[in-house]
Amino acid sequence: MASGKFITFEGIDGAGKSTHIPFVAELLRARGLEVVTTREPGGTELGERLRELLLHQKMHLETEALLMFASRREHLAQVIEPALARGAWVISDRFSDASFAYQGGGRQLSRDKLETLERLVHPTLQPDLTLLFDVPLEVARARLDAERTPDKFEQERADFFQATRTEYLRRAAEFAARFRIIDSTRPIAVIQDELRGLIATL
Ligand code: TYD
């Protein structure tokens, strides 16, 4: 049996990825596929508890990176790997590229250390497709929900997000075979047309 595919959604906070996840999941379900949508940090009971800590508690940078990958380890074992093995398609709201972008780009943890964690947690698995929702910083900031109390990351300064975005774009160039950069400044309907085309080619 054909195994499922692994699609990840990435981008800085406010880039708009959350709007498009249900749309892509529906496109796939309409083709009769089993689709699992999930998120990081989180996706499991333990992962969601780690998410609470990660989003609200100040901690050492390496502790933050370790907990991101700890949550990911659990997520792979409990959700992602079993789903792919039974032929389901998995859509994850963020995965390891977020650790490279936020902890690496934003917080300047060395790529070497992050690659060590990546090798430990998923030595071979990579997403089949990574959709990077990209917008200039000012656009992303304006989109952040003004009603909601910002979490630890959303409270970061502009230069943090600039560095995070730069690292996302650098990775998109380095791993061009699996990345697609989605210009997220465009109207939702235009982005959806592009997504429809991308999914058809998968
Ligand atoms: P996010 O996915 O933006 O969810 P919401 O839409 O509910 O705010 O929030 C997750 C935050 O965690 C986001 O600011 C990025 C951060 N993050 C990392 O710093 N490293 C990681 O490895 C992951 C998965 C997320």
Side-chain angles (χ1 to χ4, degrees), residues 13 17-18 40-41 51 55 68 72 93-94 98-99 102-103 148 151 153-154:
D13 292 83
K17 65 187 166 52
S18 317
E40 289 201 355
R51 180 185 178 94
L55 265 50
M68 290 291 180
R72 186 160 300 132
D93 186 344
R94 302 191 184 282
S99 299
Y102 281 78
Q103 282 67 51
R148 216 179 49 158
D151 66 37
F153 293 99
E154 291 161 351

Side-chain angles (χ1 to χ4, degrees), residues 67-89:
L67 290 182
M68 290 291 180
F69 275 95
S71 163
R72 186 160 300 132
R73 185 70 197 88
E74 206 61 20
H75 194 206
L76 281 158
Q78 288 192 35
V79 178
I80 298 173
E81 287 168 347
L84 293 174
R86 69 172 184 267
W89 286 48

Side-chain angles (χ1 to χ4, degrees), residues 133-169:
F133 289 80
D134 185 55
V135 286
L137 227 55
E138 315 75 65
V139 178
R141 295 235 121 174
R143 280 183 188 170
L144 282 182
D145 189 350
E147 304 289 300
R148 216 179 49 158
T149 318
D151 66 37
K152 192 180 84 183
F153 293 99
E154 291 161 351
Q155 286 169 27
E156 285 291 342
R157 296 199 329 242
D159 55 352
F160 172 90
F161 285 106
Q162 197 59 65
T164 300
R165 181 185 182 208
T166 300
E167 178 60 10
Y168 265 134
L169 291 169

